Amino acid sequence: MALNKPHYTLFKNTRYALNGLVEITKNEKSFRLQIVLFVVGIIVSCSLPIDFVSKAILAVSLFIPLIAEVINSAIERTVDLVTFDHHELAKRAKDAGAALVFLSLSMLAVIWSVTLYAAFYL
């Protein structure tokens, strides 16, 4: 028995992903702030007088908050799809998404601190 699922291709999936990024960028101020952090971080990491591996670690770590913000946005949209009314479980889901973003920023700070310490003091 075949499932009634659309046929996906690499190009369709890429288009869906890009549509999602455009939608989140247009509608989420937090995501736009994460993009600013990403761009500034890339500029800073590339301009530091450190080895390539350290630069790569700093640059790649900047994706962590972006990914967390996308997940948080998906959680928020799913909750809003179900209900706009105040509900304790809806609040918990949104708070968990916010915690994810907070933890990702904390992880970013730790990665940058450890990498820069190792690059300049060890």
Side-chain angles (χ1 to χ4, degrees):
M1 177 179 202
L3 297 175
N4 188 15
K5 292 179 83 176
H7 180 68
Y8 292 104
T9 65
L10 177 64
F11 296 110
K12 283 183 182 178
N13 290 355
T14 301
R15 186 178 40 168
Y16 298 148
L18 294 175
N19 288 343
L21 285 173
V22 168
E23 191 277 328
I24 292 172
T25 303
K26 284 182 181 178
N27 296 306
E28 290 290 334
K29 184 176 182 181
S30 297
F31 189 72
R32 291 192 300 271
L33 289 172
Q34 298 290 354
I35 290 174
V36 170
L37 173 67
F38 179 85
V39 171
V40 169
I42 290 292
I43 292 168
V44 169
S45 66
C46 289
S47 63
L48 289 171
I50 56 178
D51 62 284
F52 175 78
V53 172
S54 295
K55 287 182 183 188
I57 290 169
L58 296 178
V60 170
S61 70
L62 292 166
F63 281 98
I64 297 169
L66 285 175
I67 294 166
E69 194 63 53
V70 169
I71 295 169
N72 183 44
S73 295
I75 292 168
E76 289 179 355
R77 281 159 178 71
T78 303
V79 169
D80 291 344
L81 176 67
V82 174
T83 182
F84 282 112
D85 297 332
H86 177 76
H87 191 282
E88 184 58 31
L89 289 177
K91 180 187 181 315
R92 288 182 191 176
K94 288 187 173 192
D95 288 351
L100 173 67
V101 174
F102 175 76
L103 290 173
S104 75
L105 290 168
S106 299
M107 184 187 310
L108 179 68
V110 168
I111 291 170
W112 274 64
S113 297
V114 169
T115 303
L116 292 176
Y117 180 81
F120 288 111
Y121 298 111
L122 295 183

